[in-house]
mmCIF file of all heavy atoms in Angstrom:
data_model
loop_
_atom_site.group_PDB
_atom_site.id
_atom_site.type_symbol
_atom_site.label_atom_id
_atom_site.label_comp_id
_atom_site.label_asym_id
_atom_site.label_seq_id
_atom_site.Cartn_x
_atom_site.Cartn_y
_atom_site.Cartn_z
ATOM 1 N N ALA A 1 0.849 -1.214 0.116
ATOM 2 C CA ALA A 1 0.007 0.014 -0.006
ATOM 3 C C ALA A 1 0.936 1.243 0.027
ATOM 4 O O ALA A 1 1.933 1.326 0.869
ATOM 5 C CB ALA A 1 -0.884 0.014 1.187
ATOM 6 N N THR A 2 0.607 2.197 -0.883
ATOM 7 C CA THR A 2 1.472 3.446 -1.029
ATOM 8 C C THR A 2 0.801 4.520 -0.230
ATOM 9 O O THR A 2 -0.524 4.810 -0.407
ATOM 10 C CB THR A 2 1.518 3.811 -2.462
ATOM 11 O OG1 THR A 2 2.015 2.637 -3.256
ATOM 12 C CG2 THR A 2 2.310 5.025 -2.641
ATOM 13 N N LEU A 3 1.521 5.220 0.624
ATOM 14 C CA LEU A 3 1.120 6.258 1.375
ATOM 15 C C LEU A 3 0.634 7.491 0.606
ATOM 16 O O LEU A 3 1.276 8.085 -0.160
ATOM 17 C CB LEU A 3 2.206 6.745 2.319
ATOM 18 C CG LEU A 3 2.015 7.749 3.390
ATOM 19 C CD1 LEU A 3 1.050 7.206 4.327
ATOM 20 C CD2 LEU A 3 3.232 8.176 4.008
ATOM 21 N N GLU A 4 -0.570 7.928 0.949
ATOM 22 C CA GLU A 4 -1.092 9.198 0.437
ATOM 23 C C GLU A 4 -1.128 10.426 1.367
ATOM 24 O O GLU A 4 -0.676 11.520 0.975
ATOM 25 C CB GLU A 4 -2.660 8.997 0.096
ATOM 26 C CG GLU A 4 -2.956 8.472 -1.290
ATOM 27 C CD GLU A 4 -4.402 8.515 -1.514
ATOM 28 O OE1 GLU A 4 -5.299 8.212 -0.741
ATOM 29 O OE2 GLU A 4 -4.745 8.821 -2.714
ATOM 30 N N THR A 5 -1.432 10.140 2.597
ATOM 31 C CA THR A 5 -1.252 11.236 3.586
ATOM 32 C C THR A 5 -1.354 10.456 4.953
ATOM 33 O O THR A 5 -1.557 9.230 5.062
ATOM 34 C CB THR A 5 -2.552 12.119 3.491
ATOM 35 O OG1 THR A 5 -2.195 13.387 4.420
ATOM 36 C CG2 THR A 5 -3.846 11.540 3.922
ATOM 37 N N PHE A 6 -0.995 11.276 6.001
ATOM 38 C CA PHE A 6 -0.760 10.672 7.325
ATOM 39 C C PHE A 6 -0.895 11.692 8.383
ATOM 40 O O PHE A 6 -0.940 12.939 8.172
ATOM 41 C CB PHE A 6 0.569 9.989 7.528
ATOM 42 C CG PHE A 6 1.676 10.912 7.493
ATOM 43 C CD1 PHE A 6 2.160 11.423 8.616
ATOM 44 C CD2 PHE A 6 2.107 11.394 6.188
ATOM 45 C CE1 PHE A 6 3.277 12.400 8.638
ATOM 46 C CE2 PHE A 6 3.109 12.386 6.126
ATOM 47 C CZ PHE A 6 3.723 12.865 7.426
ATOM 48 N N MET A 7 -1.047 11.281 9.585
ATOM 49 C CA MET A 7 -0.835 12.105 10.826
ATOM 50 C C MET A 7 -0.255 11.255 11.904
ATOM 51 O O MET A 7 -0.392 10.041 12.028
ATOM 52 C CB MET A 7 -2.087 12.806 11.277
ATOM 53 C CG MET A 7 -3.306 11.830 11.834
ATOM 54 S SD MET A 7 -4.635 12.922 12.325
ATOM 55 C CE MET A 7 -5.933 11.556 12.283
ATOM 56 N N VAL A 8 0.473 11.906 12.773
ATOM 57 C CA VAL A 8 0.963 11.193 13.956
ATOM 58 C C VAL A 8 0.307 11.813 15.213
ATOM 59 O O VAL A 8 0.429 13.164 15.268
ATOM 60 C CB VAL A 8 2.591 11.324 14.048
ATOM 61 C CG1 VAL A 8 3.161 10.701 15.367
ATOM 62 C CG2 VAL A 8 3.141 10.628 12.866
ATOM 63 N N LEU A 9 -0.087 11.196 16.078
ATOM 64 C CA LEU A 9 -0.835 11.693 17.326
ATOM 65 C C LEU A 9 0.107 11.629 18.467
ATOM 66 O O LEU A 9 0.732 10.620 18.690
ATOM 67 C CB LEU A 9 -2.129 10.990 17.541
ATOM 68 C CG LEU A 9 -3.122 11.248 16.431
ATOM 69 C CD1 LEU A 9 -3.159 10.070 15.391
ATOM 70 C CD2 LEU A 9 -4.431 11.539 17.107
ATOM 71 N N PHE A 10 -0.034 12.542 19.452
ATOM 72 C CA PHE A 10 0.850 12.593 20.754
ATOM 73 C C PHE A 10 -0.075 12.770 21.835
ATOM 74 O O PHE A 10 -1.187 13.355 21.756
ATOM 75 C CB PHE A 10 1.839 13.836 20.470
ATOM 76 C CG PHE A 10 2.729 13.660 19.417
ATOM 77 C CD1 PHE A 10 2.437 14.100 18.164
ATOM 78 C CD2 PHE A 10 4.063 13.345 19.513
ATOM 79 C CE1 PHE A 10 3.147 14.153 17.023
ATOM 80 C CE2 PHE A 10 4.921 13.142 18.553
ATOM 81 C CZ PHE A 10 4.574 13.651 17.195
ATOM 82 N N ASP A 11 0.424 12.321 22.914
ATOM 83 C CA ASP A 11 -0.368 12.602 24.170
ATOM 84 C C ASP A 11 0.069 13.992 24.806
ATOM 85 O O ASP A 11 0.905 14.610 24.321
ATOM 86 C CB ASP A 11 -0.122 11.424 25.181
ATOM 87 C CG ASP A 11 1.387 11.310 25.759
ATOM 88 O OD1 ASP A 11 2.089 12.152 25.591
ATOM 89 O OD2 ASP A 11 1.569 10.145 26.298
ATOM 90 N N ARG A 12 -0.508 14.234 25.828
ATOM 91 C CA ARG A 12 -0.191 15.712 26.499
ATOM 92 C C ARG A 12 1.219 15.831 26.859
ATOM 93 O O ARG A 12 1.710 16.929 26.990
ATOM 94 C CB ARG A 12 -1.101 15.846 27.730
ATOM 95 C CG ARG A 12 -2.532 15.917 27.315
ATOM 96 C CD ARG A 12 -3.403 16.317 28.517
ATOM 97 N NE ARG A 12 -4.769 16.474 28.275
ATOM 98 C CZ ARG A 12 -5.395 17.528 27.823
ATOM 99 N NH1 ARG A 12 -4.696 18.633 27.900
ATOM 100 N NH2 ARG A 12 -6.593 17.543 27.628
ATOM 101 N N ASP A 13 1.990 14.731 27.088
ATOM 102 C CA ASP A 13 3.230 14.859 27.542
ATOM 103 C C ASP A 13 4.337 14.842 26.303
ATOM 104 O O ASP A 13 5.518 14.843 26.468
ATOM 105 C CB ASP A 13 3.766 13.636 28.505
ATOM 106 C CG ASP A 13 2.937 13.715 29.685
ATOM 107 O OD1 ASP A 13 2.744 14.905 30.155
ATOM 108 O OD2 ASP A 13 2.574 12.660 30.256
ATOM 109 N N GLY A 14 3.731 14.841 25.181
ATOM 110 C CA GLY A 14 4.527 14.789 23.943
ATOM 111 C C GLY A 14 5.165 13.583 23.306
ATOM 112 O O GLY A 14 5.835 13.330 22.485
ATOM 113 N N ASN A 15 4.563 12.407 23.990
ATOM 114 C CA ASN A 15 4.891 11.125 23.535
ATOM 115 C C ASN A 15 3.924 10.614 22.420
ATOM 116 O O ASN A 15 2.747 10.843 22.473
ATOM 117 C CB ASN A 15 4.730 10.033 24.792
ATOM 118 C CG ASN A 15 5.666 10.465 25.883
ATOM 119 O OD1 ASN A 15 6.855 10.668 25.700
ATOM 120 N ND2 ASN A 15 4.915 10.496 26.976
ATOM 121 N N VAL A 16 4.450 9.858 21.477
ATOM 122 C CA VAL A 16 3.647 9.309 20.257
ATOM 123 C C VAL A 16 2.818 8.319 20.754
ATOM 124 O O VAL A 16 3.136 7.439 21.515
ATOM 125 C CB VAL A 16 4.565 8.824 19.235
ATOM 126 C CG1 VAL A 16 3.701 8.197 18.149
ATOM 127 C CG2 VAL A 16 5.451 9.759 18.630
ATOM 128 N N THR A 17 1.329 8.423 20.351
ATOM 129 C CA THR A 17 0.392 7.436 20.726
ATOM 130 C C THR A 17 0.241 6.455 19.659
ATOM 131 O O THR A 17 0.138 5.332 19.882
ATOM 132 C CB THR A 17 -0.894 8.069 21.181
ATOM 133 O OG1 THR A 17 -1.423 8.734 20.003
ATOM 134 C CG2 THR A 17 -0.864 8.912 22.436
ATOM 135 N N HIS A 18 0.276 7.122 18.397
ATOM 136 C CA HIS A 18 0.159 6.104 17.314
ATOM 137 C C HIS A 18 0.235 6.938 15.943
ATOM 138 O O HIS A 18 -0.047 8.265 16.034
ATOM 139 C CB HIS A 18 -1.039 5.167 17.293
ATOM 140 C CG HIS A 18 -2.322 5.991 17.244
ATOM 141 N ND1 HIS A 18 -2.870 6.594 18.357
ATOM 142 C CD2 HIS A 18 -3.208 6.091 16.218
ATOM 143 C CE1 HIS A 18 -4.000 7.000 18.032
ATOM 144 N NE2 HIS A 18 -4.333 6.864 16.675
ATOM 145 N N GLY A 19 0.271 6.404 14.829
ATOM 146 C CA GLY A 19 0.135 7.099 13.546
ATOM 147 C C GLY A 19 -1.129 6.668 12.774
ATOM 148 O O GLY A 19 -1.639 5.516 13.149
ATOM 149 N N VAL A 20 -1.644 7.431 11.934
ATOM 150 C CA VAL A 20 -2.839 7.052 11.184
ATOM 151 C C VAL A 20 -2.399 7.460 9.670
ATOM 152 O O VAL A 20 -1.913 8.476 9.435
ATOM 153 C CB VAL A 20 -4.005 7.860 11.494
ATOM 154 C CG1 VAL A 20 -5.248 7.467 10.591
ATOM 155 C CG2 VAL A 20 -4.544 7.581 12.927
ATOM 156 N N VAL A 21 -2.567 6.419 8.816
ATOM 157 C CA VAL A 21 -2.094 6.676 7.372
ATOM 158 C C VAL A 21 -3.353 6.407 6.495
ATOM 159 O O VAL A 21 -4.291 5.560 6.876
ATOM 160 C CB VAL A 21 -1.035 5.781 7.007
ATOM 161 C CG1 VAL A 21 0.182 6.144 7.764
ATOM 162 C CG2 VAL A 21 -1.327 4.401 6.856
ATOM 163 N N ILE A 22 -3.430 7.077 5.418
ATOM 164 C CA ILE A 22 -4.253 6.832 4.328
ATOM 165 C C ILE A 22 -3.477 6.353 3.245
ATOM 166 O O ILE A 22 -2.487 7.066 2.766
ATOM 167 C CB ILE A 22 -5.149 8.088 3.830
ATOM 168 C CG1 ILE A 22 -5.953 8.673 5.056
ATOM 169 C CG2 ILE A 22 -6.157 7.775 2.642
ATOM 170 C CD1 ILE A 22 -7.073 7.741 5.634
ATOM 171 N N ALA A 23 -3.719 5.229 2.719
ATOM 172 C CA ALA A 23 -2.885 4.669 1.638
ATOM 173 C C ALA A 23 -3.660 3.968 0.463
ATOM 174 O O ALA A 23 -4.876 3.877 0.571
ATOM 175 C CB ALA A 23 -1.939 3.600 2.193
ATOM 176 N N ARG A 24 -2.964 3.736 -0.636
ATOM 177 C CA ARG A 24 -3.638 3.138 -1.772
ATOM 178 C C ARG A 24 -3.061 1.735 -2.038
ATOM 179 O O ARG A 24 -2.018 1.618 -2.047
ATOM 180 C CB ARG A 24 -3.413 3.929 -3.082
ATOM 181 C CG ARG A 24 -4.106 5.248 -3.091
ATOM 182 C CD ARG A 24 -5.566 5.169 -3.384
ATOM 183 N NE ARG A 24 -6.123 6.483 -3.702
ATOM 184 C CZ ARG A 24 -6.373 6.914 -4.749
ATOM 185 N NH1 ARG A 24 -6.179 6.259 -6.050
ATOM 186 N NH2 ARG A 24 -6.867 8.295 -4.967
ATOM 187 N N ALA A 25 -4.030 0.755 -2.266
ATOM 188 C CA ALA A 25 -3.663 -0.580 -2.545
ATOM 189 C C ALA A 25 -3.292 -0.579 -4.146
ATOM 190 O O ALA A 25 -3.591 0.390 -4.700
ATOM 191 C CB ALA A 25 -4.867 -1.492 -2.238
ATOM 192 N N PRO A 26 -2.723 -1.668 -4.436
ATOM 193 C CA PRO A 26 -2.254 -1.736 -5.916
ATOM 194 C C PRO A 26 -3.388 -1.601 -6.948
ATOM 195 O O PRO A 26 -3.418 -1.064 -7.993
ATOM 196 C CB PRO A 26 -1.675 -3.074 -6.120
ATOM 197 C CG PRO A 26 -1.079 -3.359 -4.792
ATOM 198 C CD PRO A 26 -2.060 -2.897 -3.799
ATOM 199 N N ASP A 27 -4.667 -2.050 -6.499
ATOM 200 C CA ASP A 27 -5.862 -1.869 -7.321
ATOM 201 C C ASP A 27 -6.578 -0.590 -7.140
ATOM 202 O O ASP A 27 -7.745 -0.341 -7.734
ATOM 203 C CB ASP A 27 -6.821 -3.008 -7.064
ATOM 204 C CG ASP A 27 -7.581 -3.011 -5.607
ATOM 205 O OD1 ASP A 27 -7.066 -2.072 -4.805
ATOM 206 O OD2 ASP A 27 -8.371 -3.796 -5.276
ATOM 207 N N ASP A 28 -5.968 0.401 -6.610
ATOM 208 C CA ASP A 28 -6.325 1.758 -6.506
ATOM 209 C C ASP A 28 -7.347 2.004 -5.288
ATOM 210 O O ASP A 28 -7.767 3.086 -5.115
ATOM 211 C CB ASP A 28 -6.804 2.497 -7.781
ATOM 212 C CG ASP A 28 -6.466 3.986 -7.780
ATOM 213 O OD1 ASP A 28 -5.398 4.363 -7.185
ATOM 214 O OD2 ASP A 28 -7.295 4.644 -8.359
ATOM 215 N N ALA A 29 -7.740 0.982 -4.602
ATOM 216 C CA ALA A 29 -8.704 1.173 -3.375
ATOM 217 C C ALA A 29 -7.996 1.878 -2.431
ATOM 218 O O ALA A 29 -6.571 1.839 -2.185
ATOM 219 C CB ALA A 29 -9.106 -0.240 -2.931
ATOM 220 N N ARG A 30 -8.619 2.621 -1.603
ATOM 221 C CA ARG A 30 -8.002 3.433 -0.469
ATOM 222 C C ARG A 30 -8.290 2.654 0.799
ATOM 223 O O ARG A 30 -9.316 1.978 1.084
ATOM 224 C CB ARG A 30 -8.680 4.781 -0.469
ATOM 225 C CG ARG A 30 -8.117 5.703 0.483
ATOM 226 C CD ARG A 30 -8.805 7.193 0.288
ATOM 227 N NE ARG A 30 -8.036 7.908 -0.652
ATOM 228 C CZ ARG A 30 -8.577 8.880 -1.455
ATOM 229 N NH1 ARG A 30 -9.816 9.193 -1.237
ATOM 230 N NH2 ARG A 30 -7.836 9.427 -2.386
ATOM 231 N N ILE A 31 -7.170 2.692 1.718
ATOM 232 C CA ILE A 31 -7.357 2.134 3.086
ATOM 233 C C ILE A 31 -7.001 3.120 4.114
ATOM 234 O O ILE A 31 -6.199 4.037 3.830
ATOM 235 C CB ILE A 31 -6.538 0.911 3.147
ATOM 236 C CG1 ILE A 31 -5.053 1.297 2.950
ATOM 237 C CG2 ILE A 31 -6.975 -0.211 2.163
ATOM 238 C CD1 ILE A 31 -4.067 0.128 3.495
ATOM 239 N N MET A 32 -7.526 3.110 5.277
ATOM 240 C CA MET A 32 -6.905 3.798 6.448
ATOM 241 C C MET A 32 -6.443 2.775 7.505
ATOM 242 O O MET A 32 -7.021 1.695 7.747
ATOM 243 C CB MET A 32 -8.108 4.547 7.144
ATOM 244 C CG MET A 32 -7.654 5.468 8.268
ATOM 245 S SD MET A 32 -8.888 6.659 8.841
ATOM 246 C CE MET A 32 -10.039 5.612 9.718
ATOM 247 N N ALA A 33 -5.237 3.045 7.964
ATOM 248 C CA ALA A 33 -4.545 2.184 8.751
ATOM 249 C C ALA A 33 -3.828 2.939 9.824
ATOM 250 O O ALA A 33 -3.695 4.024 9.902
ATOM 251 C CB ALA A 33 -3.467 1.417 7.993
ATOM 252 N N ILE A 34 -3.530 2.022 10.940
ATOM 253 C CA ILE A 34 -2.732 2.741 12.040
ATOM 254 C C ILE A 34 -1.346 2.242 11.954
ATOM 255 O O ILE A 34 -0.869 1.295 11.260
ATOM 256 C CB ILE A 34 -3.214 2.101 13.441
ATOM 257 C CG1 ILE A 34 -3.122 0.662 13.609
ATOM 258 C CG2 ILE A 34 -4.724 2.526 13.546
ATOM 259 C CD1 ILE A 34 -3.292 0.129 15.022
ATOM 260 N N VAL A 35 -0.449 3.077 12.466
ATOM 261 C CA VAL A 35 0.890 2.741 12.841
ATOM 262 C C VAL A 35 1.029 2.673 14.380
ATOM 263 O O VAL A 35 0.971 3.638 15.051
ATOM 264 C CB VAL A 35 1.970 3.796 12.180
ATOM 265 C CG1 VAL A 35 3.452 3.388 12.501
ATOM 266 C CG2 VAL A 35 1.692 3.935 10.763
ATOM 267 N N PRO A 36 1.376 1.401 14.839
ATOM 268 C CA PRO A 36 1.398 1.303 16.219
ATOM 269 C C PRO A 36 2.657 2.110 16.918
ATOM 270 O O PRO A 36 3.570 2.402 16.128
ATOM 271 C CB PRO A 36 1.600 -0.141 16.500
ATOM 272 C CG PRO A 36 1.660 -0.890 15.235
ATOM 273 C CD PRO A 36 1.547 0.223 14.126
ATOM 274 N N PRO A 37 2.562 2.562 18.127
ATOM 275 C CA PRO A 37 3.577 3.329 18.646
ATOM 276 C C PRO A 37 4.879 2.610 18.835
ATOM 277 O O PRO A 37 5.972 3.188 18.865
ATOM 278 C CB PRO A 37 3.001 3.650 20.245
ATOM 279 C CG PRO A 37 1.953 2.617 20.480
ATOM 280 C CD PRO A 37 1.414 2.218 19.061
ATOM 281 N N GLU A 38 4.856 1.239 18.835
ATOM 282 C CA GLU A 38 6.226 0.526 18.946
ATOM 283 C C GLU A 38 6.844 0.451 17.625
ATOM 284 O O GLU A 38 8.010 -0.054 17.482
ATOM 285 C CB GLU A 38 5.948 -0.884 19.465
ATOM 286 C CG GLU A 38 4.954 -1.723 18.801
ATOM 287 C CD GLU A 38 3.449 -1.583 19.120
ATOM 288 O OE1 GLU A 38 3.207 -0.684 20.051
ATOM 289 O OE2 GLU A 38 2.592 -2.337 18.612
ATOM 290 N N ASP A 39 6.331 0.903 16.395
ATOM 291 C CA ASP A 39 6.938 0.767 15.141
ATOM 292 C C ASP A 39 7.677 2.010 15.025
ATOM 293 O O ASP A 39 7.367 2.887 14.285
ATOM 294 C CB ASP A 39 5.841 0.705 14.124
ATOM 295 C CG ASP A 39 6.447 0.468 12.660
ATOM 296 O OD1 ASP A 39 7.637 0.612 12.533
ATOM 297 O OD2 ASP A 39 5.773 0.188 11.759
ATOM 298 N N ASN A 40 8.865 2.130 15.655
ATOM 299 C CA ASN A 40 9.695 3.330 15.635
ATOM 300 C C ASN A 40 10.196 3.604 14.335
ATOM 301 O O ASN A 40 10.370 4.882 13.919
ATOM 302 C CB ASN A 40 10.864 3.170 16.584
ATOM 303 C CG ASN A 40 10.468 2.883 18.112
ATOM 304 O OD1 ASN A 40 9.476 3.595 18.393
ATOM 305 N ND2 ASN A 40 11.056 1.974 18.805
ATOM 306 N N ALA A 41 10.560 2.752 13.536
ATOM 307 C CA ALA A 41 11.143 2.969 12.130
ATOM 308 C C ALA A 41 9.989 3.628 11.290
ATOM 309 O O ALA A 41 10.369 4.663 10.627
ATOM 310 C CB ALA A 41 11.500 1.696 11.449
ATOM 311 N N THR A 42 8.854 3.173 11.145
ATOM 312 C CA THR A 42 7.802 3.867 10.411
ATOM 313 C C THR A 42 7.478 5.099 10.846
ATOM 314 O O THR A 42 7.271 6.129 10.143
ATOM 315 C CB THR A 42 6.521 2.913 10.268
ATOM 316 O OG1 THR A 42 6.978 1.599 9.795
ATOM 317 C CG2 THR A 42 5.354 3.517 9.579
#
C-alpha cells in the first residue's frame, strides 16, 4: 500500500500514541490504517 497522507498523534506529554495513514492498494482502493507506537522505524 502506497502512502497518500498521514498524521502522528501525541499525548499531552509529547509522547507518540500512534500514527494514522491513508494509503492506496495496488488496485487503487483506499485504506486507512494505524501505525502502532512501537513501530519506531515507520
Side-chain angles (χ1 to χ4, degrees):
T2 303
L3 185 65
E4 271 191 315
T5 191
F6 68 95
M7 67 179 162
V8 177
L9 293 100
F10 298 83
D11 65 18
R12 291 184 183 266
D13 296 323
N15 302 308
V16 173
T17 62
H18 64 286
V20 177
V21 302
I22 305 296
R24 291 282 187 104
D27 65 355
D28 212 33
R30 185 171 277 155
I31 63 168
M32 182 164 75
I34 65 162
V35 177
E38 59 273 5
D39 186 350
N40 295 322
T42 299

